[in-house]
Amino acid sequence: GAVVSQHPSWVICKSGTSVKIECRSLDFQATTMFWYRQFPKQSLMLMATSNEGSKATYEQGVEKDKFLINHASLTLSTLTVTSAHPEDSSFYICSAKWTSSLLTYTGELFFGEGSRLTVL
Amino acid sequence: GQNIDQPTEMTATEGAIVQINCTYQTSGFNGLFWYQQHAGEAPTFLSYNVLDGLEEKGRFSSFLSRSKGYSYLLLKELQMKDSASYLCAVRDEGTYKYIFGTGTRLKVLA
């Protein structure tokens, strides 16, 4: 299956600093990637849809100036948490959909390994 | 609005069968997915339904009724490694966004 790699796996930073998380599709081109946030024992909350070559589409309640998303190429999307605060501590997961013409492809999402952010 | 409901927790015994239900109310529908997620890890794809009926994949089966807004995931011959969260997700027809349910934490006991 398609592989999505996310980096870093975990990061600890001081309050007020910015953190960048990378999401790469390793063996396919992803015109669309999705960024999710997950709190402990809760489900995935869609933050934004990242489209290659255009601005990301943010979900209601997600601050676009706080969570900067860049999708500069067909294999890379980045999420930057700006001026991070302790309440931004969470598990961030990216996912991508493989654009395939195969009749057997269901369109399922392929997820990165996730990045656990801890803001002190 | 979008609403996807699942039971919060379930417990079952090794070797048994368990059914995890999912009900949904979404503005559009373009398929329902089940994912497995172990603690601290990313979700992995289990099954997909877009038409009514049962899809079987080894020990896992998934059922869909679009008229009832209902799906279930059936796990047979439970193993300890099946202890995980199971996420139901609906793909929206218009936006192609994937909306996830609350997730069901399954504990398999020896």
Side-chain angles (χ1 to χ4, degrees):
Chain A
V3 178
V4 176
S5 178
Q6 194 172 334
H7 177 80
S9 300
W10 57 270
V11 58
I12 301 173
C13 69
K14 293 182 179 180
S15 186
T17 60
S18 294
V19 174
K20 179 185 284 187
I21 300 170
E22 293 187 347
C23 180
R24 295 181 184 273
S25 55
L26 297 185
D27 51 359
F28 68 103
Q29 294 183 331
T31 55
T32 302
M33 291 185 176
F34 301 92
W35 286 95
Y36 290 87
R37 183 175 181 176
Q38 187 175 36
F39 291 103
K41 297 187 177 181
Q42 294 188 25
S43 190
L44 302 172
M45 183 192 78
L46 180 64
M47 297 175 66
T49 303
S50 172
N51 300 296
E52 187 269 334
S54 64
K55 292 183 179 179
T57 305
Y58 290 83
E59 294 301 298
Q60 191 173 8
V62 178
E63 299 175 59
K64 60 180 181 181
D65 295 327
K66 173 76 172 176
F67 300 99
L68 299 178
I69 292 174
N70 184 281
H71 196 153
S73 76
L74 286 171
T75 59
L76 174 64
S77 175
T78 61
L79 167 69
T80 301
V81 182
T82 63
S83 187
H85 291 284
E87 57 266 29
D88 299 324
S89 298
S90 189
F91 191 52
Y92 293 88
I93 308 178
C94 72
S95 66
K97 189 171 75 71
W98 180 28
T99 303
S100 171
S101 59
L102 292 176
L103 294 177
T104 55
Y105 179 53
T106 63
E108 73 267 25
L109 294 179
F110 297 96
F111 286 87
E113 303 93 332
S115 299
R116 186 164 301 283
L117 171 63
T118 301
V119 184
L120 303 177
Chain B
Q2 318 278 39
N3 192 42
I4 302 175
D5 287 321
Q6 304 175 233
T8 304
E9 287 188 356
M10 298 184 71
T11 302
T13 306
E14 194 174 17
I17 299 173
V18 71
Q19 177 174 313
I20 302 174
N21 296 324
C22 171
T23 58
Y24 64 91
Q25 289 178 315
T26 57
S27 54
F29 179 85
N30 190 262
L32 186 142
F33 300 80
W34 283 94
Y35 287 83
Q36 180 191 60
Q37 185 180 26
H38 286 97
E41 298 180 11
T44 55
F45 170 71
L46 288 179
S47 69
Y48 166 74
N49 296 73
V50 68
L51 300 176
D52 291 351
L54 187 69
E55 292 287 338
E56 297 188 79
K57 249 184 172 184
R59 294 192 299 117
F60 297 84
S61 302
S62 57
F63 172 84
L64 174 68
S65 169
R66 288 172 296 171
S67 62
K68 295 181 179 178
Y70 168 70
S71 173
Y72 68 71
L73 178 70
L74 194 71
L75 293 77
K76 304 175 185 175
E77 302 170 12
L78 280 175
Q79 302 175 10
M80 300 297 289
K81 67 178 182 179
D82 296 329
S83 293
S85 286
Y86 291 86
L87 308 175
C88 169
V90 171
R91 182 169 59 196
D92 184 87
E93 183 175 26
T95 64
Y96 276 79
K97 291 179 185 176
Y98 297 72
I99 308 301
F100 282 81
T102 49
T104 300
R105 288 192 300 279
L106 174 66
K107 294 181 184 178
V108 179
L109 305 177

